[in-house]
Each structure stands twice: as structure tokens, then as C-alpha cells.
Amino acid sequence: MNIIRIFVMGIAFLIAALITLALAGMAFTLLRFLFWVIVGLIVIAGLWKLFGPKDGAGSSDNNPQGKLENAEITIDEYKRKLEEQLKQK
């Protein structure tokens, strides 16, 4: 009776070990897949940064004349607001 019990416990242990190894293998496969997805996204983002559209907000940052015009507009707005406040007093 003890021999059958030991035999069944050994088979149960082997099955549990196989299930554990299978789950660990799936986890490592998922991690490897996520790693390559992240690497691909980083490469795509880098290519988009290098070869993406140049118009929009990025082009005005590179243009010092655009910054100067923005500063002048801001100064004019502050002047108008200050004049309105002085007129109210």
C-alpha cells in the first residue's frame, strides 16, 4: 500500500513540476514578446522623430524670428492690459 502511495505522490509531483515549468515558459515567452514590441515602438518613435512632418509647432521653435514675433505680441498684449487697468482707475 505504501509503494502505491509513494508512486502516486511521485507522479503528482512530476505533473506539478511540468505545469510549473510550462507556466514559467509562457511567462518568459510573454516577456520576450513584450521586449521586442517595446524595441519596435522605440525604433518607430525614433524614425518618426527623424523623418516625420516638419511643419507645425516644431518648426516655429527652430525659427528665432518666430520667437521674436511671439515675444513682441506678448509685450503688446501686456501693454494693452496695463493700459486698460490704468484707464479703469
CSV table of all heavy atoms in Angstrom, one decimal, residues 36-82:
chain,number,residue,atom,x,y,z
A,36,TRP,N,10.4,42.8,-27.4
A,36,TRP,CA,10.5,43.1,-28.8
A,36,TRP,C,9.5,44.2,-29.3
A,36,TRP,O,9.8,45.0,-30.2
A,36,TRP,CB,10.5,41.9,-29.7
A,36,TRP,CG,11.8,41.1,-29.6
A,36,TRP,CD1,11.9,39.9,-29.0
A,36,TRP,CD2,13.1,41.5,-29.9
A,36,TRP,NE1,13.2,39.5,-29.0
A,36,TRP,CE2,14.0,40.5,-29.6
A,36,TRP,CE3,13.6,42.7,-30.5
A,36,TRP,CZ2,15.3,40.6,-29.8
A,36,TRP,CZ3,14.9,42.8,-30.8
A,36,TRP,CH2,15.8,41.8,-30.5
A,37,VAL,N,8.3,44.1,-28.7
A,37,VAL,CA,7.3,45.2,-29.0
A,37,VAL,C,7.8,46.5,-28.6
A,37,VAL,O,7.7,47.5,-29.3
A,37,VAL,CB,5.9,44.8,-28.4
A,37,VAL,CG1,5.0,46.0,-28.4
A,37,VAL,CG2,5.3,43.6,-29.1
A,38,ILE,N,8.3,46.6,-27.4
A,38,ILE,CA,8.9,47.9,-26.9
A,38,ILE,C,10.0,48.4,-27.7
A,38,ILE,O,10.1,49.6,-28.1
A,38,ILE,CB,9.2,47.8,-25.4
A,38,ILE,CG1,8.0,47.6,-24.6
A,38,ILE,CG2,10.0,49.0,-24.9
A,38,ILE,CD1,8.2,47.2,-23.1
A,39,VAL,N,10.9,47.5,-28.1
A,39,VAL,CA,12.0,47.8,-29.0
A,39,VAL,C,11.5,48.4,-30.3
A,39,VAL,O,12.0,49.4,-30.8
A,39,VAL,CB,13.0,46.7,-29.2
A,39,VAL,CG1,14.0,46.9,-30.3
A,39,VAL,CG2,13.8,46.3,-27.9
A,40,GLY,N,10.5,47.7,-30.9
A,40,GLY,CA,9.9,48.2,-32.1
A,40,GLY,C,9.3,49.5,-32.0
A,40,GLY,O,9.4,50.4,-32.9
A,41,LEU,N,8.6,49.8,-30.9
A,41,LEU,CA,8.0,51.1,-30.7
A,41,LEU,C,9.0,52.2,-30.6
A,41,LEU,O,8.8,53.3,-31.0
A,41,LEU,CB,7.1,51.0,-29.5
A,41,LEU,CG,5.8,50.2,-29.6
A,41,LEU,CD1,5.0,50.2,-28.3
A,41,LEU,CD2,4.9,50.8,-30.7
A,42,ILE,N,10.1,51.9,-29.9
A,42,ILE,CA,11.2,52.9,-29.7
A,42,ILE,C,11.8,53.2,-31.1
A,42,ILE,O,12.1,54.4,-31.4
A,42,ILE,CB,12.2,52.4,-28.7
A,42,ILE,CG1,11.7,52.4,-27.3
A,42,ILE,CG2,13.5,53.2,-28.8
A,42,ILE,CD1,12.5,51.7,-26.3
A,43,VAL,N,12.0,52.2,-31.9
A,43,VAL,CA,12.6,52.4,-33.3
A,43,VAL,C,11.6,53.2,-34.1
A,43,VAL,O,12.0,54.2,-34.8
A,43,VAL,CB,12.9,51.0,-34.0
A,43,VAL,CG1,13.2,51.2,-35.4
A,43,VAL,CG2,14.1,50.4,-33.3
A,44,ILE,N,10.3,52.9,-34.0
A,44,ILE,CA,9.3,53.7,-34.8
A,44,ILE,C,9.3,55.1,-34.3
A,44,ILE,O,9.2,56.0,-35.1
A,44,ILE,CB,7.9,53.0,-34.7
A,44,ILE,CG1,7.9,51.7,-35.5
A,44,ILE,CG2,6.8,53.9,-35.2
A,44,ILE,CD1,6.7,50.8,-35.2
A,45,ALA,N,9.3,55.3,-33.0
A,45,ALA,CA,9.3,56.7,-32.5
A,45,ALA,C,10.6,57.5,-32.9
A,45,ALA,O,10.5,58.7,-33.3
A,45,ALA,CB,9.2,56.7,-31.0
A,46,GLY,N,11.7,56.8,-33.0
A,46,GLY,CA,12.9,57.5,-33.4
A,46,GLY,C,12.9,57.8,-34.9
A,46,GLY,O,13.3,58.9,-35.3
A,47,LEU,N,12.3,56.9,-35.7
A,47,LEU,CA,12.2,57.2,-37.1
A,47,LEU,C,11.2,58.3,-37.4
A,47,LEU,O,11.4,59.2,-38.3
A,47,LEU,CB,11.8,55.9,-37.9
A,47,LEU,CG,12.8,54.8,-38.0
A,47,LEU,CD1,12.3,53.6,-38.6
A,47,LEU,CD2,14.0,55.3,-38.8
A,48,TRP,N,10.1,58.3,-36.6
A,48,TRP,CA,9.1,59.4,-36.7
A,48,TRP,C,9.7,60.7,-36.4
A,48,TRP,O,9.5,61.7,-37.0
A,48,TRP,CB,7.9,59.1,-35.8
A,48,TRP,CG,6.9,60.2,-35.9
A,48,TRP,CD1,6.7,61.2,-35.1
A,48,TRP,CD2,5.8,60.2,-36.9
A,48,TRP,NE1,5.6,62.0,-35.5
A,48,TRP,CE2,5.1,61.4,-36.6
A,48,TRP,CE3,5.5,59.5,-38.0
A,48,TRP,CZ2,4.0,61.8,-37.4
A,48,TRP,CZ3,4.4,59.9,-38.8
A,48,TRP,CH2,3.7,61.0,-38.5
A,49,LYS,N,10.6,60.7,-35.3
A,49,LYS,CA,11.2,62.0,-34.9
A,49,LYS,C,12.2,62.4,-36.0
A,49,LYS,O,12.3,63.6,-36.2
A,49,LYS,CB,12.0,61.7,-33.6
A,49,LYS,CG,12.7,62.9,-33.0
A,49,LYS,CD,11.7,63.6,-32.1
A,49,LYS,CE,12.5,64.7,-31.4
A,49,LYS,NZ,11.7,65.7,-30.9
A,50,LEU,N,12.9,61.5,-36.6
A,50,LEU,CA,13.9,61.9,-37.7
A,50,LEU,C,13.2,62.3,-39.0
A,50,LEU,O,13.6,63.3,-39.6
A,50,LEU,CB,14.8,60.7,-38.0
A,50,LEU,CG,15.9,60.5,-36.9
A,50,LEU,CD1,16.7,59.2,-37.3
A,50,LEU,CD2,16.8,61.7,-36.8
A,51,PHE,N,12.2,61.5,-39.4
A,51,PHE,CA,11.7,61.7,-40.8
A,51,PHE,C,10.2,62.1,-40.8
A,51,PHE,O,9.6,62.2,-41.8
A,51,PHE,CB,11.8,60.4,-41.6
A,51,PHE,CG,13.2,59.9,-41.7
A,51,PHE,CD1,13.6,58.7,-41.1
A,51,PHE,CD2,14.1,60.6,-42.4
A,51,PHE,CE1,14.9,58.3,-41.2
A,51,PHE,CE2,15.4,60.1,-42.6
A,51,PHE,CZ,15.8,59.0,-41.9
A,52,GLY,N,9.7,62.5,-39.6
A,52,GLY,CA,8.3,62.9,-39.5
A,52,GLY,C,8.0,64.3,-40.1
A,52,GLY,O,9.0,64.9,-40.6
A,53,PRO,N,6.8,64.7,-40.1
A,53,PRO,CA,6.5,66.0,-40.7
A,53,PRO,C,7.2,67.1,-39.9
A,53,PRO,O,7.4,67.1,-38.7
A,53,PRO,CB,5.0,66.2,-40.5
A,53,PRO,CG,4.6,65.2,-39.4
A,53,PRO,CD,5.6,64.1,-39.5
A,54,LYS,N,7.7,68.1,-40.7
A,54,LYS,CA,8.5,69.2,-40.1
A,54,LYS,C,7.6,70.4,-39.9
A,54,LYS,O,8.1,71.3,-39.2
A,54,LYS,CB,9.6,69.6,-41.1
A,54,LYS,CG,10.6,68.5,-41.4
A,54,LYS,CD,11.3,68.0,-40.2
A,54,LYS,CE,12.3,66.9,-40.5
A,54,LYS,NZ,12.8,66.2,-39.4
A,55,ASP,N,6.4,70.5,-40.4
A,55,ASP,CA,5.6,71.7,-40.1
A,55,ASP,C,4.9,71.6,-38.8
A,55,ASP,O,4.9,70.6,-38.1
A,55,ASP,CB,4.5,71.9,-41.2
A,55,ASP,CG,3.6,70.7,-41.3
A,55,ASP,OD1,4.0,69.6,-40.8
A,55,ASP,OD2,2.6,70.8,-42.0
A,56,GLY,N,4.3,72.7,-38.3
A,56,GLY,CA,3.6,72.7,-37.0
A,56,GLY,C,4.5,73.4,-35.9
A,56,GLY,O,5.2,74.3,-36.2
A,57,ALA,N,4.3,72.9,-34.7
A,57,ALA,CA,4.9,73.6,-33.6
A,57,ALA,C,6.5,73.4,-33.6
A,57,ALA,O,7.2,74.3,-33.1
A,57,ALA,CB,4.4,73.0,-32.3
A,58,GLY,N,6.9,72.3,-34.1
A,58,GLY,CA,8.4,72.1,-34.2
A,58,GLY,C,9.1,73.1,-35.0
A,58,GLY,O,10.2,73.4,-34.7
A,59,SER,N,8.6,73.5,-36.1
A,59,SER,CA,9.3,74.4,-37.0
A,59,SER,C,9.4,75.8,-36.4
A,59,SER,O,10.3,76.5,-36.6
A,59,SER,CB,8.6,74.5,-38.4
A,59,SER,OG,7.3,75.0,-38.2
A,60,SER,N,8.4,76.3,-35.6
A,60,SER,CA,8.5,77.6,-35.0
A,60,SER,C,9.5,77.7,-33.9
A,60,SER,O,10.1,78.7,-33.6
A,60,SER,CB,7.1,78.1,-34.5
A,60,SER,OG,6.7,77.3,-33.4
A,61,ASP,N,9.8,76.5,-33.3
A,61,ASP,CA,10.8,76.5,-32.2
A,61,ASP,C,12.2,76.7,-32.8
A,61,ASP,O,13.1,77.2,-32.2
A,61,ASP,CB,10.8,75.2,-31.5
A,61,ASP,CG,9.5,75.1,-30.6
A,61,ASP,OD1,8.9,76.1,-30.3
A,61,ASP,OD2,9.2,73.9,-30.3
A,62,ASN,N,12.4,76.2,-34.1
A,62,ASN,CA,13.7,76.3,-34.7
A,62,ASN,C,13.9,77.7,-35.3
A,62,ASN,O,15.0,78.0,-35.8
A,62,ASN,CB,13.9,75.2,-35.8
A,62,ASN,CG,13.9,73.9,-35.1
A,62,ASN,OD1,14.3,73.7,-34.0
A,62,ASN,ND2,13.5,72.9,-35.9
A,63,ASN,N,12.9,78.5,-35.5
A,63,ASN,CA,12.9,79.8,-36.1
A,63,ASN,C,13.0,80.9,-35.1
A,63,ASN,O,12.1,81.2,-34.4
A,63,ASN,CB,11.7,80.0,-37.0
A,63,ASN,CG,11.7,81.2,-37.8
A,63,ASN,OD1,12.7,81.9,-37.8
A,63,ASN,ND2,10.7,81.4,-38.6
A,64,PRO,N,14.2,81.5,-34.9
A,64,PRO,CA,14.4,82.6,-33.9
A,64,PRO,C,13.5,83.8,-34.3
A,64,PRO,O,13.0,84.5,-33.3
A,64,PRO,CB,15.8,83.0,-34.0
A,64,PRO,CG,16.5,82.1,-35.0
A,64,PRO,CD,15.5,81.2,-35.6
A,65,GLN,N,13.2,84.1,-35.5
A,65,GLN,CA,12.4,85.2,-35.9
A,65,GLN,C,11.0,85.0,-35.4
A,65,GLN,O,10.3,85.9,-34.9
A,65,GLN,CB,12.3,85.4,-37.4
A,65,GLN,CG,11.6,86.6,-37.9
A,65,GLN,CD,12.2,87.9,-37.5
A,65,GLN,OE1,13.4,87.9,-37.2
A,65,GLN,NE2,11.4,88.9,-37.3
A,66,GLY,N,10.5,83.7,-35.4
A,66,GLY,CA,9.2,83.4,-34.9
A,66,GLY,C,9.1,83.6,-33.4
A,66,GLY,O,8.1,84.1,-32.9
A,67,LYS,N,10.2,83.3,-32.7
A,67,LYS,CA,10.2,83.6,-31.2
A,67,LYS,C,10.1,85.1,-30.9
A,67,LYS,O,9.5,85.5,-30.0
A,67,LYS,CB,11.4,83.0,-30.6
A,67,LYS,CG,11.4,81.5,-30.5
A,67,LYS,CD,12.7,81.0,-29.8
A,67,LYS,CE,12.6,79.5,-29.7
A,67,LYS,NZ,13.8,79.0,-29.0
A,68,LEU,N,10.8,85.9,-31.8
A,68,LEU,CA,10.9,87.3,-31.6
A,68,LEU,C,9.5,87.9,-31.8
A,68,LEU,O,9.0,88.7,-31.0
A,68,LEU,CB,11.9,87.9,-32.5
A,68,LEU,CG,12.0,89.5,-32.4
A,68,LEU,CD1,12.5,89.8,-31.0
A,68,LEU,CD2,13.0,89.9,-33.5
A,69,GLU,N,8.8,87.4,-32.8
A,69,GLU,CA,7.4,87.9,-33.1
A,69,GLU,C,6.5,87.5,-32.0
A,69,GLU,O,5.6,88.3,-31.6
A,69,GLU,CB,6.9,87.3,-34.4
A,69,GLU,CG,7.6,87.9,-35.6
A,69,GLU,CD,7.3,87.2,-36.9
A,69,GLU,OE1,6.4,86.3,-36.9
A,69,GLU,OE2,7.8,87.6,-38.0
A,70,ASN,N,6.6,86.3,-31.5
A,70,ASN,CA,5.8,85.9,-30.3
A,70,ASN,C,6.0,86.8,-29.1
A,70,ASN,O,5.1,87.1,-28.4
A,70,ASN,CB,6.0,84.4,-30.0
A,70,ASN,CG,5.5,83.5,-31.0
A,70,ASN,OD1,4.6,83.9,-31.8
A,70,ASN,ND2,6.0,82.3,-31.0
A,71,ALA,N,7.3,87.1,-28.9
A,71,ALA,CA,7.6,88.0,-27.7
A,71,ALA,C,7.0,89.4,-27.9
A,71,ALA,O,6.5,89.9,-27.0
A,71,ALA,CB,9.1,88.1,-27.6
A,72,GLU,N,7.1,89.9,-29.1
A,72,GLU,CA,6.5,91.2,-29.4
A,72,GLU,C,5.0,91.2,-29.2
A,72,GLU,O,4.4,92.1,-28.7
A,72,GLU,CB,6.9,91.7,-30.8
A,72,GLU,CG,8.3,92.0,-31.0
A,72,GLU,CD,8.7,92.4,-32.4
A,72,GLU,OE1,7.8,92.3,-33.3
A,72,GLU,OE2,9.9,92.7,-32.6
A,73,ILE,N,4.4,90.2,-29.7
A,73,ILE,CA,2.9,90.1,-29.5
A,73,ILE,C,2.6,90.0,-28.0
A,73,ILE,O,1.6,90.6,-27.5
A,73,ILE,CB,2.4,88.8,-30.3
A,73,ILE,CG1,2.5,89.0,-31.8
A,73,ILE,CG2,0.9,88.5,-29.9
A,73,ILE,CD1,2.2,87.8,-32.6
A,74,THR,N,3.3,89.2,-27.2
A,74,THR,CA,3.1,89.1,-25.8
A,74,THR,C,3.3,90.4,-25.1
A,74,THR,O,2.5,90.8,-24.3
A,74,THR,CB,4.0,88.1,-25.2
A,74,THR,OG1,3.9,86.8,-25.9
A,74,THR,CG2,3.7,87.8,-23.8
A,75,ILE,N,4.3,91.2,-25.5
A,75,ILE,CA,4.6,92.5,-24.9
A,75,ILE,C,3.4,93.4,-25.2
A,75,ILE,O,2.9,94.2,-24.4
A,75,ILE,CB,5.9,93.1,-25.4
A,75,ILE,CG1,7.1,92.3,-24.8
A,75,ILE,CG2,6.0,94.5,-25.0
A,75,ILE,CD1,8.4,92.6,-25.3
A,76,ASP,N,2.9,93.4,-26.5
A,76,ASP,CA,1.8,94.2,-26.9
A,76,ASP,C,0.6,93.9,-26.1
A,76,ASP,O,-0.2,94.8,-25.6
A,76,ASP,CB,1.5,94.1,-28.4
A,76,ASP,CG,2.6,94.7,-29.2
A,76,ASP,OD1,3.3,95.6,-28.7
A,76,ASP,OD2,2.7,94.4,-30.4
A,77,GLU,N,0.3,92.6,-25.8
A,77,GLU,CA,-0.8,92.2,-25.0
A,77,GLU,C,-0.7,92.7,-23.6
A,77,GLU,O,-1.7,93.2,-23.0
A,77,GLU,CB,-1.0,90.7,-25.0
A,77,GLU,CG,-1.4,90.1,-26.3
A,77,GLU,CD,-1.4,88.6,-26.3
A,77,GLU,OE1,-1.1,88.0,-25.3
A,77,GLU,OE2,-1.7,88.0,-27.4
A,78,TYR,N,0.5,92.6,-23.0
A,78,TYR,CA,0.7,93.2,-21.6
A,78,TYR,C,0.5,94.7,-21.6
A,78,TYR,O,-0.1,95.2,-20.7
A,78,TYR,CB,2.1,92.8,-21.1
A,78,TYR,CG,2.2,91.4,-20.7
A,78,TYR,CD1,3.3,90.6,-21.2
A,78,TYR,CD2,1.3,90.7,-19.9
A,78,TYR,CE1,3.5,89.3,-20.8
A,78,TYR,CE2,1.5,89.4,-19.6
A,78,TYR,CZ,2.5,88.7,-20.0
A,78,TYR,OH,2.7,87.4,-19.6
A,79,LYS,N,0.9,95.4,-22.6
A,79,LYS,CA,0.7,96.8,-22.7
A,79,LYS,C,-0.7,97.2,-22.7
A,79,LYS,O,-1.2,98.1,-22.0
A,79,LYS,CB,1.4,97.4,-23.9
A,79,LYS,CG,2.9,97.5,-23.8
A,79,LYS,CD,3.5,98.2,-25.1
A,79,LYS,CE,5.0,98.2,-25.0
A,79,LYS,NZ,5.5,98.8,-26.3
A,80,ARG,N,-1.5,96.5,-23.6
A,80,ARG,CA,-2.9,96.7,-23.7
A,80,ARG,C,-3.6,96.5,-22.3
A,80,ARG,O,-4.5,97.2,-21.9
A,80,ARG,CB,-3.6,95.9,-24.8
A,80,ARG,CG,-3.6,96.6,-26.1
A,80,ARG,CD,-4.4,95.8,-27.1
A,80,ARG,NE,-3.4,95.0,-27.9
A,80,ARG,CZ,-3.4,93.7,-28.1
A,80,ARG,NH1,-4.4,93.0,-27.5
A,80,ARG,NH2,-2.5,93.1,-28.8
A,81,LYS,N,-3.3,95.4,-21.7
A,81,LYS,CA,-3.9,95.0,-20.4
A,81,LYS,C,-3.6,96.1,-19.4
A,81,LYS,O,-4.4,96.5,-18.5
A,81,LYS,CB,-3.5,93.7,-19.9
A,81,LYS,CG,-4.1,92.5,-20.7
A,81,LYS,CD,-3.7,91.2,-20.2
A,81,LYS,CE,-4.2,90.1,-21.1
A,81,LYS,NZ,-3.8,88.7,-20.6
A,82,LEU,N,-2.3,96.5,-19.4
A,82,LEU,CA,-1.9,97.5,-18.4
A,82,LEU,C,-2.6,98.9,-18.6
A,82,LEU,O,-3.1,99.5,-17.7
A,82,LEU,CB,-0.4,97.7,-18.5
A,82,LEU,CG,0.2,98.7,-17.5
A,82,LEU,CD1,-0.1,98.2,-16.0
A,82,LEU,CD2,1.7,98.8,-17.7
